[in-house]
Amino acid sequence: MTNTYGPLPYEGIRVIEFTHMVMGPTCGMLLADLGAEVIKVEPMGGDSTRRLLGSGSGFFPMFNRNKKSIVLDLKQPEGLQAALRLIDTADVVSENFKSGVMEKLGLGYDALKARNPRLIYVSHKGFLPGPYENRTALDEVVQMMGGLAYMTGRPGDPLRAGTSVNDIMGGMFGAMGVMAALAQREKTGVGTQVQTSLFENNVFLVGQHMMQYAVTGKAAAPMPSRISAWAIYDVFTVKDSEQIFLAVVSDKQWDIFCRAFDLAQLRHDPRLATNNDRVQARSWLLPALREHLAQFSAAELSAVFEREGLPFAPITRPEQLFDDPHLIATGGLAPIRLQDGREALVPLTPVTLGGAQLPVRLQPPGIGEHTEELLRGVGYDEHEIGALKAKHITEGDSTS
């Protein structure tokens, strides 16, 4: 795609982030993708997220593109002073440490607001202020206590969603809050504090099920055992044990489906005249359809459903998306440098400006890759930078 969007929206905005894992880094990544200069302050040895294994091994390269890295030991006065000098040049500070940590360092909102009333300060926490605010939260914790795991699993078997939904979406709301605060600052001249949280984010996600209960008086059943709003809205096992999701969600689509698969008898059956009739008939209708469709391969079904404009989906594993023809054609995957120097593809932010998705301008930084550049930018000379390194208050340089 050709870039036609011109200057990125947040060029000229400087963000200093004290974040790790997923939630805070997601907020910074989105602002960075939109053009902000995002400076990641890392501890000596680098953000521990860099060293995660298993399901955490993709966190750092996914959520830290388009950022700069500086290493500072904030427990030493000289490191804290360097951080404050950076913050004095910033529009936004972002943090996702446990409640009270930033305040103990002298980097809480009240202290920084006194230095710069225009500063916007975004905190990503487990809970908004209230009875739970001092609990330690994780995505899985709030999925369990916030109804999402109950809705995802089978009855009696709560199951977390298959990705870090609250961390990622919480970071999105953090970025949205920063954008709103920047717009507000244009009107008032002063900054503000933005707060976002895992738990409240999760409650927002399950709000539709809460409202289902409010409207109907009946509790929502877990998704695997729910009463579907549509009769054909399920995964089908077909030829050679392949699986495919197929959906028929209107009376018009039912007519098209029956014609496409020579199901005239079902098409004219008065018991199946409307969608609600078909929902009531699921107990015998679905077995009949499963038997009929089992003769087709997933590819054959996909071809018919696509030709007829009916909803369908192959059952795809994440690693197969690297070869997805749509993502390849649209440029939705961009080259990214991994920490060991290898190259991979990473999904871009799913937004286009002027017909193009937001690019990777900076690779995920090495540990302290921009330390010297950033310190020089706030007035440190080479001798002072060398002294900070000698005292193990900072590390890294522009060639690391």
Side-chain angles (χ1 to χ4, degrees), residues 15 17 19 23-33 36 38 63 65-67 94 124 171 175:
V15 179
E17 69 165 37
T19 73
M23 191 183 188
T26 297
C27 174
M29 180 198 73
L30 292 170
L31 295 172
D33 283 0
V38 177
F63 301 111
R65 63 171 177 256
N66 290 333
K67 299 180 184 179
S94 176
H124 307 84

Side-chain angles (χ1 to χ4, degrees), residues 275-290:
N275 176 72
N276 286 349
D277 290 333
R278 294 187 292 276
V279 169
Q280 296 297 325
R282 276 173 64 93
S283 61
W284 63 266
L285 176 59
L286 276 182
L289 291 177
R290 291 186 192 283

